[in-house]
């Protein structure tokens, strides 16, 4: 069964994440200059600073919710996906998958262009039905009980 889904993270949840990032004890993370053993220490500190000083979760939430979002269950895992119906008379389905690490957010700027090319100088008959799932364990999809793949 496919059910409509709206991204809605409460202010208290966003505040809890904000506080965890703001108050993170950097002593727990190895101070690595490169990327060969995980994340770069200085990059993570800059990224965290951006998140607590400039990132606007509610704006991001609104960007995701501009599209039709759904949840369905596949092999006992809830899978979140965006589906934007193309505006042409018989649009071809186009499945766009993110990698690891990644998310559907990578594609928010191209979904409308692929589903509605006539809005961007293209032809309506070149539209796609765009489907963008959050892979298991990412975004708003559920996590598998054990690794898959």
């Amino acid at each position: 069964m496919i059910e409509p889904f709206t991204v809605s993270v409460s202010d208290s949840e966003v505040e809890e994440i904000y506080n965890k990032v703001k108050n993170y004890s950097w002593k727990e993370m190895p101070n690595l200059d490169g990327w060969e053993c995980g994340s770069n220490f200085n990059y993570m500190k800059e990224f965290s600073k951006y998140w607590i000083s400039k990132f606007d979760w509610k704006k991001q939430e609104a960007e995701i919710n501009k599209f039709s979002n759904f949840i369905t269950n596949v092999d006992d895992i809830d899978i979140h996906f965006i589906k934007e119906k193309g505006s042409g008379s018989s649009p071809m389905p186009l499945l766009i998958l993110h990698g690891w690490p990644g998310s559907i957010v990578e594609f928010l700027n191209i979904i409308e262009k692929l589903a509605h090319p006539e809005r961007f100088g293209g032809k309506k008959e070149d539209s796609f039905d765009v489907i963008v799932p959050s892979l298991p364990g990412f975004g708003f999809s559920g996590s598998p009980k054990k690794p898959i793949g």
Side-chain angles (χ1 to χ4, degrees):
M1 179 195 260
I2 296 174
E3 298 182 28
F5 178 81
T6 301
V7 176
S8 180
V9 179
S10 71
D11 290 341
S12 63
E13 286 177 287
V14 172
E15 186 68 21
E16 181 181 341
I17 294 168
Y18 170 86
N19 285 326
K20 284 181 180 181
V21 173
K22 183 178 178 185
N23 298 319
Y24 181 73
S25 171
W26 291 100
K27 294 178 277 182
E28 298 173 22
M29 185 175 171
N31 189 351
L32 300 171
D33 288 331
W35 292 86
E36 61 276 353
C37 295
S39 293
N40 176 286
F41 182 80
N42 291 323
Y43 174 83
M44 288 303 296
K45 284 186 85 168
E46 282 299 312
F47 183 78
S48 297
K49 184 179 174 183
Y50 164 78
W51 204 92
I52 61 174
S53 63
K54 295 180 183 172
F55 185 75
D56 182 346
W57 171 251
K58 290 301 178 182
K59 180 180 175 187
Q60 189 67 55
E61 204 173 77
E63 288 294 314
I64 296 168
N65 285 328
K66 283 192 327 190
F67 302 103
S68 299
N69 287 258
F70 300 93
I71 290 276
T72 193
N73 192 279
V74 178
D75 293 336
D76 293 325
I77 302 172
D78 286 338
I79 301 294
H80 161 262
F81 64 97
I82 290 174
K83 181 177 181 191
E84 182 71 12
K85 179 106 176 85
S87 49
S89 59
S90 58
M92 181 179 293
L94 177 63
L95 181 66
I96 303 175
L97 299 172
H98 63 80
W100 181 94
S103 78
I104 59 161
V105 174
E106 297 171 50
F107 306 116
L108 295 178
N109 63 339
I110 64 168
I111 295 170
E112 187 177 10
K113 293 171 183 167
L114 291 166
H116 311 290
E118 74 282 1
R119 297 178 187 170
F120 303 90
K123 298 180 206 163
K124 199 180 227 184
E125 59 268 17
D126 292 334
S127 69
F128 293 93
D129 285 340
V130 181
I131 303 103
V132 187
S134 295
L135 296 179
F138 290 85
F140 304 100
S141 287
S143 295
K145 293 177 178 69
K146 62 181 185 173
I148 55 176

Tab-separated table of all heavy atoms in Angstrom, residues 23 32 36-37 43 46-48 51 54 58 62 70 77 80-81 87 111 116 128 130 134:
chain	number	residue	atom	x	y	z
A	23	ASN	N	26.765	21.247	21.147
A	23	ASN	CA	27.462	20.855	22.371
A	23	ASN	C	28.328	19.609	22.203
A	23	ASN	O	28.779	19.045	23.200
A	23	ASN	CB	26.437	20.631	23.496
A	23	ASN	CG	25.684	21.902	23.813
A	23	ASN	OD1	26.251	22.986	23.861
A	23	ASN	ND2	24.379	21.775	23.994
A	32	LEU	N	41.897	14.091	12.549
A	32	LEU	CA	42.517	13.633	11.310
A	32	LEU	C	42.530	14.755	10.279
A	32	LEU	O	41.523	15.419	10.066
A	32	LEU	CB	41.747	12.434	10.755
A	32	LEU	CG	41.669	11.207	11.674
A	32	LEU	CD1	40.707	10.185	11.095
A	32	LEU	CD2	43.039	10.601	11.873
A	36	GLU	N	41.411	9.550	4.779
A	36	GLU	CA	41.664	8.117	4.617
A	36	GLU	C	41.117	7.271	5.765
A	36	GLU	O	40.904	6.076	5.601
A	36	GLU	CB	43.160	7.839	4.410
A	36	GLU	CG	44.059	8.266	5.550
A	36	GLU	CD	44.459	9.738	5.487
A	36	GLU	OE1	44.159	10.423	4.498
A	36	GLU	OE2	45.055	10.205	6.465
A	37	CYS	N	40.863	7.850	6.934
A	37	CYS	CA	40.352	7.080	8.080
A	37	CYS	C	38.981	7.573	8.520
A	37	CYS	O	38.580	7.377	9.663
A	37	CYS	CB	41.334	7.163	9.245
A	37	CYS	SG	42.916	6.402	8.913
A	43	TYR	N	36.923	19.756	8.575
A	43	TYR	CA	35.717	19.828	7.746
A	43	TYR	C	34.474	19.606	8.607
A	43	TYR	O	33.480	20.328	8.483
A	43	TYR	CB	35.771	18.801	6.618
A	43	TYR	CG	34.498	18.750	5.824
A	43	TYR	CD1	34.260	19.654	4.797
A	43	TYR	CD2	33.514	17.807	6.120
A	43	TYR	CE1	33.079	19.633	4.075
A	43	TYR	CE2	32.325	17.769	5.404
A	43	TYR	CZ	32.113	18.681	4.393
A	43	TYR	OH	30.934	18.655	3.697
A	46	GLU	N	33.688	22.686	10.658
A	46	GLU	CA	33.104	23.749	9.827
A	46	GLU	C	31.668	23.420	9.436
A	46	GLU	O	30.791	24.276	9.445
A	46	GLU	CB	33.950	23.991	8.575
A	46	GLU	CG	35.193	24.796	8.836
A	46	GLU	CD	34.895	26.186	9.378
A	46	GLU	OE1	34.027	26.888	8.818
A	46	GLU	OE2	35.523	26.559	10.380
A	47	PHE	N	31.437	22.168	9.074
A	47	PHE	CA	30.094	21.722	8.703
A	47	PHE	C	29.136	21.900	9.882
A	47	PHE	O	28.020	22.393	9.725
A	47	PHE	CB	30.145	20.261	8.245
A	47	PHE	CG	28.828	19.736	7.773
A	47	PHE	CD1	28.363	20.051	6.518
A	47	PHE	CD2	28.061	18.933	8.594
A	47	PHE	CE1	27.139	19.573	6.068
A	47	PHE	CE2	26.841	18.440	8.158
A	47	PHE	CZ	26.382	18.765	6.898
A	48	SER	N	29.577	21.523	11.064
A	48	SER	CA	28.751	21.660	12.265
A	48	SER	C	28.462	23.124	12.564
A	48	SER	O	27.342	23.483	12.948
A	48	SER	CB	29.441	21.003	13.454
A	48	SER	OG	29.583	19.622	13.220
A	51	TRP	N	25.792	24.267	10.298
A	51	TRP	CA	24.478	23.730	10.675
A	51	TRP	C	23.854	24.541	11.796
A	51	TRP	O	22.658	24.826	11.771
A	51	TRP	CB	24.583	22.253	11.070
A	51	TRP	CG	23.274	21.553	10.894
A	51	TRP	CD1	22.859	20.893	9.799
A	51	TRP	CD2	22.202	21.498	11.831
A	51	TRP	NE1	21.580	20.408	9.992
A	51	TRP	CE2	21.156	20.775	11.237
A	51	TRP	CE3	22.012	21.985	13.116
A	51	TRP	CZ2	19.951	20.520	11.872
A	51	TRP	CZ3	20.800	21.738	13.751
A	51	TRP	CH2	19.795	21.009	13.130
A	54	LYS	N	23.658	28.691	10.217
A	54	LYS	CA	23.039	29.127	8.964
A	54	LYS	C	21.961	28.195	8.402
A	54	LYS	O	21.094	28.643	7.666
A	54	LYS	CB	24.122	29.314	7.898
A	54	LYS	CG	25.095	30.419	8.226
A	54	LYS	CD	26.136	30.580	7.157
A	54	LYS	CE	27.131	31.652	7.562
A	54	LYS	NZ	28.255	31.725	6.655
A	58	LYS	N	13.494	24.141	8.446
A	58	LYS	CA	12.115	24.338	7.995
A	58	LYS	C	12.074	24.730	6.514
A	58	LYS	O	11.176	24.331	5.788
A	58	LYS	CB	11.390	25.372	8.864
A	58	LYS	CG	11.111	24.856	10.268
A	58	LYS	CD	10.255	23.593	10.218
A	58	LYS	CE	10.001	23.023	11.590
A	58	LYS	NZ	9.232	21.786	11.567
A	62	ALA	N	10.273	22.464	3.610
A	62	ALA	CA	9.343	23.026	2.625
A	62	ALA	C	9.770	22.669	1.202
A	62	ALA	O	8.916	22.378	0.347
A	62	ALA	CB	9.251	24.547	2.791
A	70	PHE	N	5.659	10.021	-0.592
A	70	PHE	CA	4.913	8.818	-0.236
A	70	PHE	C	5.778	7.892	0.606
A	70	PHE	O	7.000	8.015	0.632
A	70	PHE	CB	4.481	8.072	-1.506
A	70	PHE	CG	3.606	8.883	-2.407
A	70	PHE	CD1	4.160	9.635	-3.441
A	70	PHE	CD2	2.235	8.903	-2.234
A	70	PHE	CE1	3.362	10.395	-4.276
A	70	PHE	CE2	1.426	9.670	-3.063
A	70	PHE	CZ	1.987	10.415	-4.097
A	77	ILE	N	10.466	-3.150	4.878
A	77	ILE	CA	11.150	-1.882	5.127
A	77	ILE	C	10.283	-0.763	4.556
A	77	ILE	O	9.902	-0.809	3.380
A	77	ILE	CB	12.547	-1.839	4.475
A	77	ILE	CG1	13.432	-2.975	4.981
A	77	ILE	CG2	13.217	-0.484	4.731
A	77	ILE	CD1	14.746	-3.101	4.229
A	80	HIS	N	10.487	5.622	1.736
A	80	HIS	CA	9.992	6.953	1.398
A	80	HIS	C	10.405	7.266	-0.040
A	80	HIS	O	11.494	6.891	-0.470
A	80	HIS	CB	10.605	7.995	2.340
A	80	HIS	CG	10.523	9.384	1.808
A	80	HIS	ND1	11.583	9.995	1.162
A	80	HIS	CD2	9.505	10.282	1.793
A	80	HIS	CE1	11.213	11.213	0.790
A	80	HIS	NE2	9.960	11.405	1.163
A	81	PHE	N	9.548	7.942	-0.768
A	81	PHE	CA	9.922	8.386	-2.109
A	81	PHE	C	9.118	9.596	-2.525
A	81	PHE	O	8.023	9.844	-2.038
A	81	PHE	CB	9.777	7.259	-3.143
A	81	PHE	CG	8.365	6.767	-3.346
A	81	PHE	CD1	7.590	7.234	-4.393
A	81	PHE	CD2	7.819	5.814	-2.499
A	81	PHE	CE1	6.299	6.774	-4.602
A	81	PHE	CE2	6.530	5.338	-2.693
A	81	PHE	CZ	5.766	5.817	-3.742
A	87	SER	N	4.298	16.166	-16.984
A	87	SER	CA	3.178	16.903	-17.556
A	87	SER	C	2.819	16.469	-18.972
A	87	SER	O	1.784	16.869	-19.488
A	87	SER	CB	3.471	18.407	-17.518
A	87	SER	OG	4.745	18.680	-18.040
A	111	ILE	N	14.176	17.697	-10.235
A	111	ILE	CA	12.911	16.953	-10.351
A	111	ILE	C	11.915	17.706	-11.229
A	111	ILE	O	11.357	17.157	-12.176
A	111	ILE	CB	12.312	16.655	-8.962
A	111	ILE	CG1	13.227	15.709	-8.183
A	111	ILE	CG2	10.909	16.066	-9.099
A	111	ILE	CD1	12.844	15.537	-6.720
A	116	HIS	N	8.612	18.554	-15.779
A	116	HIS	CA	7.899	19.655	-16.443
A	116	HIS	C	8.869	20.484	-17.291
A	116	HIS	O	9.071	21.685	-17.040
A	116	HIS	CB	7.208	20.531	-15.402
A	116	HIS	CG	6.402	19.767	-14.414
A	116	HIS	ND1	5.226	19.131	-14.751
A	116	HIS	CD2	6.627	19.484	-13.104
A	116	HIS	CE1	4.745	18.508	-13.680
A	116	HIS	NE2	5.582	18.707	-12.677
A	128	PHE	N	9.176	13.361	-17.836
A	128	PHE	CA	9.288	12.064	-17.168
A	128	PHE	C	8.387	12.050	-15.943
A	128	PHE	O	8.142	13.095	-15.339
A	128	PHE	CB	10.725	11.824	-16.675
A	128	PHE	CG	11.736	11.655	-17.758
A	128	PHE	CD1	12.463	12.741	-18.220
A	128	PHE	CD2	11.978	10.404	-18.305
A	128	PHE	CE1	13.414	12.587	-19.215
A	128	PHE	CE2	12.924	10.243	-19.298
A	128	PHE	CZ	13.643	11.336	-19.764
A	130	VAL	N	8.968	11.284	-12.483
A	130	VAL	CA	10.218	11.192	-11.724
A	130	VAL	C	9.944	10.544	-10.362
A	130	VAL	O	9.084	11.017	-9.607
A	130	VAL	CB	10.853	12.581	-11.535
A	130	VAL	CG1	12.170	12.480	-10.771
A	130	VAL	CG2	11.068	13.260	-12.888
A	134	SER	N	14.212	7.423	-1.036
A	134	SER	CA	15.258	7.455	-0.014
A	134	SER	C	15.662	6.001	0.201
A	134	SER	O	14.827	5.169	0.563
A	134	SER	CB	14.725	8.025	1.303
A	134	SER	OG	14.353	9.369	1.174
